[in-house]
Amino acid sequence: MAVIDDKRRRMVAQIAARGVTDERVLAALGSVRRERFVADHLAEQAYDDGPLAIGLGQTISQPYIVAVMAEAAGIEAGDRVLEVGTGSGYGAAVLAALGVEVWTIERLAPLADEARRHLAAEGVPTEGPGGVHVIVGDGTAGYHPEGAGLAPWNAIVVTAAAAEVPRALVAQLADGGALVLPVGAVGAVQALVRIRRQGDRFEPEHLGPVRFVPLVSD
Ligand code: SAH
């Protein structure tokens, strides 16, 4: 156990050396046991700071990119955060560790089920600050159930690449909030984009190249 904890500390130090400076984000990454979100035979590689296969052609994101996106989203404790693309549940657990309540949408029900199991094994609550709600559906439309009072979101993080910025996601952004997502063609290098809402203004910014699995609308 101690060996794997050392590996995690080393990974966080490397991510800090690559330029992620937000101490809260680094602490969040240091607090989530990534080996709990991958298959047993991949646990050895959980801290290699790369993507890993999670089944059904999908991947758990590279921790460095999870950190960059969490930092870019400008998350404050107490926020309500929407994640599109639950995958393994790892990214949602890192976001929740920032003291926020996370709603995360996954289109593949078997992955959503597994993510719930991973989150429970990691001791992540299913609601409240530090909690994660896993929802099955198409996150391209955001998440705005009637009467639930969830949207607008303080931050929206999308972990699958969209050919274009989904309008619904921009529309569900709170004033002062940020949408962070990869934009670009499947199989190509995509641009990590942040769109910040200031009143009626939406300010886009390119944060660098990334490579994600596609955002799929059914
Ligand atoms: N954040 C995840 C990374 C998941 S990879 C992690 O930490 O493990 C992206 C995920 O987005 C895949 O599981 C894929 O099935 C899902 N996805 C793709 N299109 C989607 C959509 N329109 N709505 C919700 N999920 C989607």
Side-chain angles (χ1 to χ4, degrees):
M1 246 357 214
V3 174
I4 209 150
D5 289 343
D6 279 350
K7 282 189 181 179
R8 184 167 59 252
R9 272 193 285 275
R10 270 202 298 281
M11 182 193 76
V12 174
Q14 277 162 12
I15 290 171
R18 285 185 71 182
V20 173
T21 56
D22 188 329
E23 290 294 339
R24 295 170 316 136
V25 170
L26 295 171
L29 274 189
S31 74
V32 180
R33 284 166 287 199
R34 191 168 184 253
E35 68 273 20
R36 297 237 167 119
F37 294 83
V38 297
D40 287 347
H41 72 281
L42 294 175
E44 280 280 304
Q45 296 167 55
Y47 297 108
D48 289 353
D49 195 22
L52 292 169
I54 56 171
L56 301 181
Q58 307 303 323
T59 54
I60 179 172
S61 305
Q62 178 189 4
Y64 169 70
I65 297 296
V66 173
V68 166
M69 293 179 89
E71 186 174 52
I75 289 163
E76 302 286 344
D79 280 354
R80 275 200 314 274
V81 176
L82 176 65
E83 180 192 49
V84 177
T86 311
S88 66
Y90 175 73
V94 171
L95 294 170
L98 290 163
V100 302
E101 189 163 1
V102 178
W103 280 258
T104 180
I105 310 189
E106 172 56 55
R107 63 180 279 273
L108 300 174
L111 289 185
D113 285 344
E114 233 170 86
R116 285 192 193 101
R117 277 197 292 278
H118 296 154
L119 289 160
E122 181 58 1
V124 177
T126 52
E127 62 185 354
V132 175
H133 307 252
V134 179
I135 293 130
V136 176
D138 179 2
T140 311
Y143 190 60
H144 196 6
E146 192 110 354
L150 294 173
W153 301 94
N154 301 112
I156 303 176
V157 174
V158 184
T159 69
E164 289 171 28
V165 178
R167 280 164 170 274
L169 297 183
V170 177
Q172 288 176 27
L173 213 47
D175 194 5
L179 164 63
V180 179
L181 79 170
V183 181
V186 172
V189 172
Q190 302 124 12
L192 186 62
V193 173
R194 169 171 61 191
I195 298 173
R196 277 193 286 204
R197 177 173 181 189
Q198 302 288 355
D200 293 336
R201 286 207 326 273
F202 293 88
E203 297 161 353
E205 206 179 325
H206 280 225
L207 304 178
V210 285
R211 199 181 274 272
F212 275 87
V213 297
L215 184 72
V216 178
S217 273
D218 303 299

